[in-house]
Amino acid sequence: MITKVASDVGRIFLLVCLVFSVPPCSTTFRLTSPWGWRCINETCVKQENDGVRSLADLSTCKLTCGQDSTIWPSPTGFLKIAPQTVHFLLESLTLRGITAPTDQVKELVEKAFHIFRDNVGKNIPEGGGKATVMGPFHKQVTSHRVFVAVTVTGRVTRLSLETSEAYTLGITTRGDVTNATVLAGDFFGARHALETLSQLIEYDELAGVLQIVSTAAVVDAPVYKYRGILLDTSRNFFSVRAIERTLDAMAASKLNTLHWHITDTHSFPLYLESLPRMAFFGAYSPREIYRAADVRHLVEYGRVRGVRVLPEFPAPAHAGNGWQWAQKQGLGKLGVCLNQEPWQSYCVEPPCGQLNIINNNTYNILAQIYKELLDIFSPLDLFHFGGSKVNLNCWNTTEEIVAHLEKEGHGRDHESFYRLWGSFQKSALDLLTQANQGKQIPGILWTSQLTEKDRIESHLDPQQYIIQILTNRTDKMIKSLLTKGYRVIFSNQDAWNLGCGFGNLSPSGKSWCINYKGWQAVYDNSPNNISATLTGSSHRNLILGGEAVLWSHHVDDTTLDSKLWPRGAALAERLWTNPDTNWEAAETRFVHHRQRLVRRGIMAQRVQPEWCRQNEGHCYL
Ligand SMILES: *[C@@H]1O[C@H](CO)[C@@H](O)[C@H](O)[C@H]1NC(C)=O
Ligand SMILES: *[C@@H]1O[C@H](CO)[C@@H](O)[C@H](O)[C@H]1NC(C)=O
Ligand SMILES: *[C@@H]1O[C@H](CO)[C@@H](O)[C@H](O)[C@H]1NC(C)=O
Ligand SMILES: *[C@@H]1O[C@H](CO)[C@@H](O)[C@H](O)[C@H]1NC(C)=O
Ligand SMILES: *[C@@H]1O[C@H](CO)[C@@H](O)[C@H](O)[C@H]1NC(C)=O
Ligand SMILES: *[C@@H]1O[C@H](CO)[C@@H](O)[C@H](O)[C@H]1NC(C)=O
């Protein structure tokens, strides 16, 4: 109550300045606008300031008006936010203390706090945040202190499918002190709490300084464990800076997995110290590579932001450029059908290429690659083997593979090739396990011919593999996977392919990728409901989560942000909150979150004219 009164005194003072422009304020106050917002029935209504009623600026109103405030994604547990705010200066925002079981956890929290504070600072526009307004309000603002105290009870420093990521956040204000208290069972939950806290702070355009809600209680945890974005750096190269930006935006939306589709047939941008020839032959240019130091940097950059960087090394298909060197070195062909024409006969899009899975050297090289991947992405809790779309005609027209089948007494029918593929996958898993000192890592595979209902059980153990669904929501394969007990990650392409809508992805492109998937379609895609529709059960224990994929046919650094954001944030709320409601109930907060991403340096696409943001609820279609 005290703060409410204090805050009102400040406001009234400001309004007097605004309307009468008298000293002392006339020289220091930046006259801004005759407009302000009032919270009426959980909606911010734009009104003209008349100097009598106290109106708020838009951010202040949104922060304090309505159930979910401006938090994105919406918390799943208890949430209560007082409709008052208190003003403070960035320099008064400090860490009071960290309670953690180990120094490693403490260090992570320190790093997360610095990122949090940095993000809070990004709310302040150039020239703002200096409390230039004189008078009692100035005194109140400059003397107000905001303390953050963080308690983490668990020792976990790496995300896994067992990490809870849950947290509670409390904010209390008395006199000139605001305390924010974070409690979490693991570092990742604490990090999310700081993200939520940053979203309860906004810049007040009228006062020219930051403000925080005076009182709040948040209890929150994600519905799904796996919340991802796929980035493909083979079709086009992305700078380390662009990937950092992607991780920043993921952290802002509490997504937790950057699935890095590093290589493909197009290019091999990963510089492996044990096999430098791969990038030498496979990179688009000597500059367009990721060195071990870049990878380690990104893995750590993600970790302190609550995001695992998960490598995908596609095999046996989607492997081509980069593998040419081996023959000259006397290892025989490790890749077959490389850049072969006419491509339509040997792959789904140019350039073609598949591994030569009957050459023993292929396995030796793969073992080296896995070893180095494990080292630079260390330690991995999941690994993506790729495993999509093998073109049988490629292998069936490769003499040594055909000869091998004959020698082994097998035919050239489909199942013979699938058996060969299945045994390759088994070897790949063994090699990865060996490279990891005998400790098995759960492997992810795309849906493919190998995951079809009559084939999957003879090749893939549900205890070892997680299947990522790359088909559409009506595909019967989803039902067979769930009823057979496979854990799945949803990436159904009819909603969660963010590359669609810019022409076909490949010359043989499917019709489902003609249309752009708007944020509404992304938001409304519910894995639970898809499962319920297909199988009659929501299969909550088998659905680990979901991922939006961005194959980079039509994107590089220049348009990355606008392709991923803010649609990636729509995915984030579906996976964190899994609301029963659809996009309409989330629209106002979504638009606000988009502004937040932009303030943090993400070139997120606009969703509406600014007028709609300022006039909530009037842009219904
Ligand atoms: C507030 O909004 C609800 C739901 O939209 C509506 O039923 C109610 O009449 C509104 N109340 C006022 C005072 O406008
Ligand atoms: C803030 O925390 C400190 C230290 O725990 C405590 O002494 C103080 O009373 C708290 N103030 C408020 C407003 O919660
Ligand atoms: C490949 O390895 C297998 C199993 O170790 C072995 O039986 C076979 O002779 C090897 N083939 C060649 C060409 O070295
Ligand atoms: C492989 O090629 C042979 C000879 O053309 C053909 O009989 C066989 O059906 C082909 N196998 C597959 C799986 O296409
Ligand atoms: C969905 O996928 C299945 C299997 O790939 C296909 O048969 C069907 O035509 C697709 N439906 C749509 C609407 O794209
Ligand atoms: C999912 O299904 C439930 C139960 O039928 C329904 O209440 C909810 O609105 C659906 N969610 C979406 C996003 O369609």
Side-chain angles (χ1 to χ4, degrees):
M1 223 37 231
I2 296 165
T3 48
K4 167 86 178 110
V5 172
S7 173
D8 275 354
V9 168
R11 280 244 161 72
I12 288 161
F13 180 77
L14 282 176
L15 288 169
V16 169
C17 285
L18 258 174
V19 174
F20 301 106
S21 283
V22 291
C25 46
S26 58
T27 51
T28 49
F29 190 68
R30 309 153 297 110
L31 186 67
T32 46
S33 161
W35 304 106
W37 280 264
R38 179 189 303 284
C39 181
I40 300 172
N41 203 10
E42 304 216 337
T43 301
C44 289
V45 180
K46 188 173 177 178
Q47 296 184 343
E48 192 174 345
N49 263 317
D50 56 13
V52 179
R53 295 167 305 168
S54 138
L55 296 183
D57 84 321
L58 184 54
S59 295
T60 313
C61 182
K62 286 185 190 269
L63 193 58
T64 52
C65 183
Q67 256 300 294
D68 290 340
S69 180
T70 54
I71 303 173
W72 191 278
S74 177
T76 53
F78 183 80
L79 175 66
K80 189 109 182 96
I81 294 168
Q84 289 90 37
T85 64
V86 283
H87 295 87
F88 67 99
L89 300 181
L90 184 60
E91 48 268 36
S92 310
L93 171 62
T94 52
L95 187 57
R96 191 197 282 281
I98 303 170
T99 311
T102 65
D103 287 348
Q104 285 90 329
V105 173
K106 190 162 180 234
E107 229 169 84
L108 278 173
V109 174
E110 265 160 21
K111 287 182 185 164
F113 180 81
H114 287 301
I115 294 163
F116 152 78
R117 206 169 176 285
D118 209 40
N119 284 335
V120 169
K122 287 179 184 156
N123 288 316
I124 304 170
E126 213 172 314
K130 302 215 174 67
T132 45
V133 183
M134 292 300 147
F137 181 66
H138 177 267
K139 196 149 175 276
Q140 185 204 322
V141 169
T142 49
S143 62
H144 200 85
R145 327 238 344 125
V146 178
F147 295 109
V148 181
V150 180
T151 302
V152 179
T153 55
R155 292 163 182 270
V156 169
T157 56
R158 297 281 169 176
L159 203 57
S160 78
L161 292 175
E162 273 77 55
T163 311
S164 120
E165 301 177 77
Y167 69 89
T168 65
L169 167 68
I171 301 175
T172 54
T173 300
R174 241 188 351 259
D176 57 2
V177 170
T178 295
N179 281 344
T181 312
V182 169
L183 178 62
D186 51 70
F187 159 72
F188 298 93
R191 193 228 69 91
H192 294 323
L194 292 173
E195 180 55 49
T196 299
L197 180 59
S198 77
Q199 299 186 2
L200 293 172
I201 297 172
E202 287 280 351
Y203 181 75
D204 185 337
E205 288 283 353
L206 286 174
V209 288
L210 292 169
Q211 60 185 332
I212 181 169
V213 297
S214 62
T215 310
V218 186
V219 179
D220 197 10
V223 169
Y224 291 111
K225 297 285 185 202
Y226 185 105
R227 307 179 303 279
I229 295 270
L230 175 144
L231 182 64
D232 158 18
T233 58
S234 175
R235 288 179 175 82
N236 281 306
F237 183 81
F238 295 85
S239 67
V240 168
R241 183 64 205 113
I243 301 175
E244 283 176 356
R245 259 197 337 269
T246 302
L247 290 164
D248 290 341
M250 291 179 72
S253 308
K254 301 192 178 95
L255 287 166
N256 70 0
T257 306
L258 179 67
H259 170 171
W260 191 352
H261 184 85
I262 312 173
T263 67
D264 206 304
T265 50
H266 304 71
S267 77
F268 197 108
L270 183 66
Y271 182 86
L272 295 165
E273 269 153 30
S274 61
L275 291 162
R277 288 191 179 89
M278 304 287 312
F280 185 61
F281 278 80
Y284 283 134
S285 78
R287 270 184 307 101
E288 289 165 293
I289 57 167
Y290 305 102
R291 292 179 179 278
D294 297 326
V295 173
R296 288 202 176 93
H297 164 74
L298 288 168
V299 168
E300 184 61 11
Y301 192 95
R303 186 169 74 118
V304 298
R305 287 165 181 77
V307 184
R308 74 158 70 71
V309 178
L310 165 67
E312 176 188 347
F313 192 82
H318 295 269
N321 285 293
W323 290 88
Q324 295 97 329
W325 59 273
Q327 208 166 2
K328 296 184 188 126
Q329 297 296 313
L331 301 181
K333 274 189 192 166
L334 302 190
V336 295
C337 313
L338 250 108
N339 302 333
Q340 193 165 336
E341 297 281 357
W343 65 264
Q344 287 88 340
S345 304
Y346 307 100
C347 59
V348 283
E349 70 179 282
C352 297
Q354 282 176 194
L355 291 185
N356 181 359
I357 62 175
I358 60 113
N359 184 338
N360 285 358
N361 293 318
T362 303
Y363 297 88
N364 299 335
I365 297 302
L366 213 50
Q368 281 187 55
I369 293 174
Y370 288 161
K371 197 153 176 287
E372 193 161 337
L373 285 177
L374 280 166
D375 178 31
I376 59 181
F377 283 88
S378 149
L380 287 180
D381 72 307
L382 292 170
F383 182 78
H384 207 304
F385 285 102
S388 69
K389 285 174 289 189
V390 165
N391 182 300
L392 294 191
N393 193 51
C394 163
W395 283 344
N396 196 14
T397 50
T398 301
E399 236 168 77
E400 54 184 303
I401 294 182
V402 171
H404 172 87
L405 282 176
E406 268 165 24
K407 197 179 99 214
E408 301 283 306
H410 297 303
R412 292 169 69 179
D413 54 302
H414 286 79
E415 292 315 314
S416 295
F417 286 101
Y418 290 135
R419 266 198 303 278
L420 208 53
W421 178 4
S423 92
F424 164 82
Q425 184 52 48
K426 185 176 177 312
S427 302
L429 180 70
D430 290 345
L431 291 174
L432 184 75
T433 308
Q434 277 165 31
N436 196 40
Q437 274 92 44
K439 194 168 166 282
Q440 208 167 63
I441 302 171
I444 307 176
L445 282 170
W446 295 109
T447 45
S448 69
Q449 300 102 310
L450 212 58
T451 63
E452 273 166 20
K453 95 172 167 320
D454 300 328
R455 218 167 271 132
I456 186 164
E457 282 164 312
S458 16
H459 300 294
L460 307 171
D461 178 351
Q463 300 305 315
Q464 285 166 1
Y465 290 103
I466 295 161
I467 311 297
Q468 185 166 2
I469 293 163
L470 194 59
T471 61
N472 59 48
R473 82 184 74 193
T474 57
D475 190 358
K476 288 199 235 9
M477 196 191 287
I478 300 173
K479 179 176 179 178
S480 81
L481 290 171
L482 290 169
T483 51
K484 287 176 194 296
Y486 285 88
R487 291 165 294 166
V488 300
I489 293 164
F490 272 79
S491 291
N492 54 302
Q493 303 290 288
D494 47 345
W496 285 351
N497 185 328
L498 302 184
C500 293
F502 296 84
N504 271 336
L505 286 187
S506 65
S508 65
K510 302 285 191 301
S511 56
W512 48 255
C513 210
I514 288 172
N515 294 330
Y516 183 82
K517 318 296 177 200
W519 80 269
Q520 298 90 339
V522 174
Y523 192 93
D524 288 354
N525 189 59
S526 159
N528 271 356
N529 288 17
I530 294 170
S531 168
T533 306
L534 293 175
T535 70
S537 156
S538 65
H539 285 290
R540 283 297 304 279
N541 55 330
L542 293 176
I543 301 175
L544 300 181
E547 181 174 287
V549 300
L550 184 64
W551 308 111
S552 68
H553 295 77
H554 307 130
V555 53
D556 63 10
D557 272 21
T558 56
T559 49
L560 176 65
D561 291 12
S562 59
K563 287 269 170 75
L564 287 180
W565 312 105
R567 289 183 298 166
L571 170 89
E573 183 153 295
R574 172 55 54 205
L575 294 172
W576 179 280
T577 317
N578 195 28
D580 283 339
T581 45
N582 72 1
W583 64 271
E584 280 166 298
E587 188 175 29
T588 303
R589 257 182 323 108
F590 184 71
V591 169
H592 188 82
H593 187 61
R594 183 267 171 191
Q595 298 301 105
R596 178 182 289 136
L597 292 173
V598 172
R599 283 200 303 268
R600 293 191 188 179
I602 314 299
M603 298 289 139
Q605 177 136 331
R606 194 85 216 197
V607 245
Q608 288 178 331
E610 177 68 6
W611 190 89
C612 302
R613 191 171 81 90
Q614 296 193 357
N615 295 272
E616 276 181 24
H618 289 282
C619 285
Y620 54 88
L621 297 173

